[in-house]
Amino acid sequence: MFSNLKRVVTLTLLASAASSVLAAPAPVSDLGGSNSASTSSSVRSNETDVQRLERLLENRNRVQLQMQQQLDEMALEISDLRGQLEKNNYDMQQMLHRQRELFIELDKVRGQATAAPVAASTTDGDTKPSAGGTFSSNADEQTAYQNAVDLILKKRDYTGAIAAFQQFQKDYPDSSFTPNSHYWLGQLYFAKKQDKEAVKSFAAVVSYKKSNKRADALVKLGDIAGRNNNAAQANKYYQQVLDEYPSSASAKLAQERIKK
């Protein structure tokens, strides 16, 4: 009997323990739910950080690209400006060289114009044959020529000088200054790069066989031909100077410029 009672008590305790276990909430389910929510939130947070980094990188790359493009454009502009500056400096040097050459020649003609009245006084008022024209003691003629020269030497009015020499040629076509007036017109046109007009003026000088400017005019015709990429024609003029005026200063210039 005691044994049966012990068995009943034991079974009762076991049943009670089993009921308690079955009635208790399952902790595994709660733990599983909590971990799942935490993981989902972490994933969303990580995705946001990555996207933010990508956006920052894209913005930085875009800014760097824009800056590089601006730098490249500035480099090109600087290069263009440098090239333009070098060209302007070269053109300025060429212009100064031409003006210096022109002034030297004009100083010579001014000296000749000053000496002309002295030569005229020895003719007792008669006309005197000269190289390429007939000299007149007409004061108006001398004044007109001197005024044209002074427009270059004193006033630097090259356009006015061209008009003055042209008018002088119309008013005094037989003047002894006519060959020189053609020569200075040629020099003025040459300095202005008006090559067609310069060729006409220098060619007019060449037609005066006794003109002391003829050799210089031939050299200038050679220079114009060379400037217009006609080396053969330029050499022809230079060679003519060497043949006809071998001991002149013009021949020295022609020898330096002739191309073999």
Side-chain angles (χ1 to χ4, degrees):
M1 182 174 174
F2 179 77
S3 177
N4 291 332
L5 179 62
K6 183 178 181 180
R7 185 180 301 111
V8 170
V9 171
T10 299
L11 291 173
T12 302
L13 290 174
L14 289 175
S16 176
S19 298
S20 299
V21 171
L22 292 174
V28 174
S29 176
D30 290 340
L31 289 175
S34 176
N35 289 339
S36 177
S38 176
T39 301
S40 177
S41 175
S42 177
V43 169
R44 286 196 301 270
S45 177
N46 290 337
E47 288 178 350
T48 301
D49 291 340
V50 170
Q51 290 175 352
R52 186 183 301 108
L53 288 174
E54 289 178 348
R55 184 171 60 257
L56 291 175
L57 288 174
E58 289 178 358
N59 290 338
R60 187 191 67 177
N61 292 337
R62 187 182 304 108
V63 171
Q64 288 179 342
L65 180 60
Q66 292 175 350
M67 292 180 63
Q68 186 61 47
Q69 290 175 344
Q70 292 176 354
L71 289 174
D72 292 342
E73 291 174 358
M74 291 176 64
L76 288 175
E77 292 178 359
I78 292 173
S79 178
D80 290 341
L81 290 173
R82 185 181 295 112
Q84 187 64 39
L85 180 61
E86 291 175 355
K87 182 179 182 300
N88 290 341
N89 287 337
Y90 174 78
D91 291 342
M92 179 66 70
Q93 292 299 324
Q94 291 294 102
M95 183 183 69
L96 292 175
H97 175 74
R98 289 194 298 270
Q99 287 185 345
R100 190 180 302 111
E101 187 179 52
L102 179 61
F103 292 152
I104 291 173
E105 296 296 337
L106 289 174
D107 281 335
K108 293 179 182 179
V109 78
R110 188 177 185 183
Q112 293 171 359
T114 303
V118 177
S121 65
T122 64
T123 64
D124 296 330
D126 296 333
T127 58
K128 177 183 177 181
S130 179
T134 301
F135 178 78
S136 172
S137 60
N138 188 331
D140 291 337
E141 175 186 334
Q142 298 173 27
T143 301
Y145 184 80
Q146 187 64 51
N147 287 341
V149 173
D150 286 343
L151 283 173
I152 302 174
L153 295 179
K154 293 183 178 180
K155 299 181 179 180
R156 307 289 177 87
D157 183 2
Y158 305 137
T159 301
I162 290 176
F165 279 121
Q166 289 174 339
Q167 188 62 46
F168 176 84
Q169 291 172 0
K170 292 179 181 178
D171 295 340
Y172 308 101
D174 297 325
S175 172
S176 60
F177 297 124
T178 298
N180 280 1
S181 68
H182 282 297
Y183 180 78
W184 306 127
L185 273 176
Q187 286 279 37
L188 290 165
Y189 286 134
F190 182 83
K192 287 176 169 289
K193 293 185 178 181
Q194 298 178 10
D195 289 347
K196 291 183 178 180
E197 291 81 359
V199 167
K200 292 179 181 178
S201 296
F202 287 129
V205 178
V206 174
S207 67
Y208 292 90
K209 300 297 183 181
K210 296 182 180 180
S211 172
N212 60 356
K213 293 296 182 184
R214 189 170 183 270
D216 292 340
L218 287 169
V219 172
K220 287 298 182 182
L221 286 171
D223 292 344
I224 294 172
R227 187 159 72 181
N228 289 276
N229 300 319
N230 192 342
Q233 186 65 35
N235 285 346
K236 181 180 177 181
Y237 286 121
Y238 295 145
Q239 189 60 51
Q240 185 176 352
V241 175
L242 294 173
D243 294 340
E244 298 182 15
Y245 307 94
S247 301
S248 66
S250 298
K252 183 178 180 181
L253 290 175
Q255 186 62 57
E256 292 174 353
R257 298 175 185 178
I258 195 169
K259 296 180 180 180
K260 302 298 185 181

